[in-house]
Amino acid sequence: MGRECKTLIAITAVILLVVLFWVLPGPADAATKTAATGTVNWNTADTWTPSGVPGSSDDVVIPSGSTTDYNISGSSTVLSLTVEAGGKLTFATQTGGNTLVVTGNVTDNGSIAMKNQTGGARVHTLTVGGDLINNGEFITTDPAGGTAQDDHLDVILNGAGAQTLGGTVETVFRDLTLSGTGIVTLGNNISLNHVTNPSDYAGYTLTVNSGAALYMGTYVVSGTGVFTLNSGGTVGIGSSAGITSSGSSGNVQVSGTRTFNAGAKYVYNASGAQATGSGLPTAAITGGVSIESGATVTSTGAIIVNTPAALRVNGTLVPGAATQVFSGTGTLTGTGTVQVTRTASTADFLSQYTQSTKTLTNLTVEYAVLAGSQVVSSTTYGNLKLDNTSGTDTAGGNVTVNGALITAAGGTFDLTSAYTLGGTLATITNNGTIKTSVPTATSAVPLPSGKTWSGTGTVEYAGATAQTALIGTYNNLTFSGAGAKTVTSGTVTVGGNWSVTGGAADLSANNSNAAVTGNITGTGAITSGSGTISLAGNWSNSGTFTAGNGTVLLNGASQQTIANAMTGSSSFYDLTITNASGVDDPGDGVSFTPGVIFSAGAAATHDYTITTPSVRVQYNSGSTYTFNNINWNGGASGTRIFFRNSNLSSGTWLLNVSGAQTAVSYVNVGRSDASSGSTIDASNGTNHDGQNNVNWFFVAANPSFFHVF
C-alpha cells in the first residue's frame, strides 16, 4: 500500500471520530432548575427554567412568589433543593406515597409544607443526603389535624458523609429517621409534634438506625413523640445532664417513650462537665461508651461494657459514687483520665474498674481522694496521678509506670518496705513525698535509677535496715530510718535540700558524687569516698562527716553558711570554694558581705583550694581553721580573694597551715592569727594586708607588713 493511501486512511479515521463526538448523545448536563412564579406543578416541563422536569444532577430553586406542588407519583431525585424566602414547596397528591430524594443539601428559607387533602391519611417522604437547613417554615403534618386527616411528610437523613440538621428555626418533625452512615449533627433544637395540635399525636418518632449517628451537642429533642436509638446506632451527647429516661433534662426530652438500646454506642462529647444520665442503659452495653477529649463525665450509675465494645475514655471519667464499679468483658482504653474514688483495704483501681481487658498505655489513672487513704493497685500504668494533698496513699503491690507520674503537694505515696516503683517513668512531677522503705535485702532497685524527679516534692528513703539509694536528679531528698543508705555509683543530684536524719548516708561504697543546690541538713552521718560533694546552699547537718579522700565544693551563687564545726572526725579532706558572691571590704574592716560563712571551726586534711576570682570568706572569730595544703589565687588585683573575721573590729580567726603553700596570690586578709602553724608566705607583691594579721609574711620591702608575734 502506497504512502498516499495510508495518509488518506488516517485522515478519514480522524474525521469519523470528530463526527461521532458531535453526533452521538452524551450525558445530560447538570443545570439549575428554577420554578415559575404562581401556583405550578413540579411534574410539568414548562414549570422550569430551563424547561424540563428536574433530574438527579439538577439543583432546584423555588423562588419567591412560586408555590410549587410536588405532584410526582412515585419517586424522583435531584441534586439539591433551595426554597427561597417567599417561595413554597407543597406535598399535596391525593394518592400519597411519593418521595423526593435530594442527594445534596436542602435549604428552606421559605416554606416546605404538607397541603391538606380530603380523604384518608397520605404519607410522603423527603430523603436528604446532605444538610437540612430550616430558616423558614417546615410543616410535616396535616395542618387541619385530627387522626382521620393525618397526612404527613416523613423525613429521612441517609447521607454517607457528615450532615447538619439545623437552621435558625426549630424544626418540627412528624417522623424523622436517620439511616445513613455519616454523623448527623444538630444545629438547633428539634421537636416531634403536630404542627398545630401537639396533643393530638403521641406516636411521632425520631429513629436512629444501625450505622447512623446523631450528635446533639447542647441542643434538645423535645415534643410529644418517641425517641428510639436502635442497636448499632450512635448518639453524641453534649448536655450537662447527659441522657435521661424521663423528665425535662438532658439532650432527649420527649414525653413519649425513650428507648436507649444496649447495643448502641454512647459518645459523651461536651466541652465541660456532664453526667452520663439515667438514660444510659444499666444492662451490659455492647455498642460502646466513649468520653471524648474535653469532656468531664460523672457517672450516674455503674457502667457495664461487654465485648466487642470498649469503655473509651479520651476525656475524664469521674465515678459518681465510690461504690460504683465499671465492669464487663469489654476493654477499658483511651488517652484521657479515669478517676478512682474508692478508699478500701483492697486495691482501689482494680476493684473499681474490673473490666476483663485494660489497655492503660495512654490512659491516666487518677487516685482522686484528697485526704489520701487509697490503696494504689499493683499493675502497669500508662500514667499515674495521685491527688492527695494530705494523708497517705499506699502501694498495694509493686507499681509500674511507663508514662507520667504526678503527685500532689502535701500528700505521701508510701511504697512501704515491701513494694517497688518501676517502669520507664517517661516524666515525673513529684510535688508530694514518695517514700520507700524497701531494704536492699528485698530489692537493690526500690526506685528506677537515673530518673529526674521534677516538681517541688521529696523522695524519701526511709528503710529501717540497710537500703540502696539510687542516683538520679531529685528536688528534695531525705534519708530517714535507722538503716544506712548506700548510694549507687554515679551522681545524685539534689535541686533542693538533702536531709539526712536517720542512718548514715554512704557515698563511699561506690565513690558516689552528690550535687546539692539547696542545703545539707539533719542529724545523720555522711560518709564520702573519693567522689565530690558540691553544695550551693548551707551545710547545717550536725551528724559526723567522714570525708574519705573526696572533695567538698562550695559553689553557690549566693551566700552559704557552714553552720557546724567541721573538725576532728568531721574534717574535710579536700575543700574547694568557687562561690564568688558577696561584696568586698572597701577598706580594712570597714564593711564586708561574705559569700561563704564559717560559723565554727573547720579543717581540711589534704587541700584547701580557692582559685576562683572574687571569693569572699568569713571565718568565725576565735575558731580554729586547720589546713594541710593551701592553694589561694584570686587572679588579679581587682578580683582578690577576701578573708575576714566575723567581727571586723576586734578578735581574730585562728589559722593553722602545716603543709604546702602552692599559692598565696591576690589575697586580701584581715584579723587572721596564723601563729599556731606555718608562716603564711604572702610576699609575692599581689596580696593585701587588711591589718591585725599574725604570722603572715607580706612584701619584704615594707617591714611593717611582716607580723610575727
Side-chain angles (χ1 to χ4, degrees), residues 81-399:
L81 171 64
T82 301
V83 181
E84 295 181 343
K88 188 171 186 178
L89 174 66
T90 62
F91 289 80
T93 62
Q94 291 285 351
T95 58
N98 55 342
T99 299
L100 174 58
V101 177
V102 182
T103 56
N105 298 332
V106 173
T107 304
D108 178 19
N109 296 317
S111 174
I112 297 176
M114 286 298 303
K115 183 177 180 182
N116 183 32
Q117 299 291 316
T118 60
R122 285 161 292 272
V123 179
H124 310 282
T125 303
L126 174 61
T127 299
V128 182
D131 297 340
L132 175 53
I133 306 299
N134 177 27
N135 300 317
E137 178 182 66
F138 196 89
I139 301 174
T140 60
T141 54
D142 177 1
T147 56
Q149 297 292 105
D150 187 19
D151 291 354
H152 60 273
L153 176 64
D154 290 348
V155 177
I156 298 173
L157 302 181
N158 69 343
Q163 294 181 265
T164 298
L165 175 55
T168 59
V169 177
E170 178 177 326
T171 305
V172 180
F173 293 95
R174 201 286 190 181
D175 289 315
L176 173 62
T177 301
L178 277 59
S179 59
T181 56
I183 295 174
V184 176
T185 302
L186 292 187
N188 203 338
N189 298 328
I190 62 174
S191 61
L192 307 173
N193 278 322
H194 190 283
V195 66
T196 56
N197 299 301
S199 62
D200 276 358
Y201 307 104
Y204 297 177
T205 63
L206 191 163
T207 303
V208 182
N209 284 328
S210 178
L214 175 62
Y215 277 42
M216 296 178 284
T218 58
Y219 296 110
V220 172
V221 180
S222 63
T224 59
V226 172
F227 181 94
T228 301
L229 174 63
N230 285 323
S231 178
T234 299
V235 63
I237 304 158
S239 169
S240 60
I243 50 173
T244 54
S245 57
S246 62
S248 56
S249 64
N251 280 119
V252 179
Q253 299 181 16
V254 296
S255 58
T257 302
R258 307 174 192 178
T259 300
F260 300 104
N261 195 287
K265 182 177 181 180
Y266 299 86
V267 179
Y268 291 87
N269 56 6
S271 58
Q274 60 182 148
T276 56
S278 59
L280 186 69
T282 57
I285 297 170
T286 56
V289 176
S290 290
I291 297 172
E292 295 302 292
S293 177
T296 298
V297 178
T298 300
S299 56
T300 303
I303 300 175
I304 307 170
V305 178
N306 278 354
T307 54
L311 173 56
R312 187 176 302 277
V313 182
N314 294 325
T316 300
L317 175 58
V318 181
T323 56
Q324 290 178 0
V325 174
F326 305 93
S327 61
T329 59
T331 300
L332 173 65
T333 187
T335 59
T337 298
V338 293
Q339 289 192 353
V340 182
T341 57
R342 201 163 255 216
T343 53
S345 58
T346 57
D348 294 329
F349 168 64
L350 294 180
S351 66
Q352 192 156 35
Y353 294 83
T354 64
Q355 291 89 348
S356 300
T357 304
K358 300 178 184 68
T359 303
L360 304 181
T361 305
N362 299 308
L363 198 64
T364 297
V365 176
E366 179 179 4
Y367 288 79
V369 178
L370 299 183
S373 300
Q374 291 189 277
V375 177
V376 179
S377 298
S378 176
T379 192
T380 298
Y381 298 90
N383 305 310
L384 175 62
K385 184 179 181 185
L386 306 179
D387 289 348
N388 58 313
T389 55
S390 64
T392 300
D393 286 343
T394 305
N398 293 333
V399 174

Side-chain angles (χ1 to χ4, degrees), residues 59-77:
D59 297 308
V60 174
V61 177
I62 311 297
S64 177
S66 175
T67 299
T68 303
D69 180 26
Y70 185 74
N71 65 333
I72 290 181
S73 179
S75 176
S76 70
T77 301

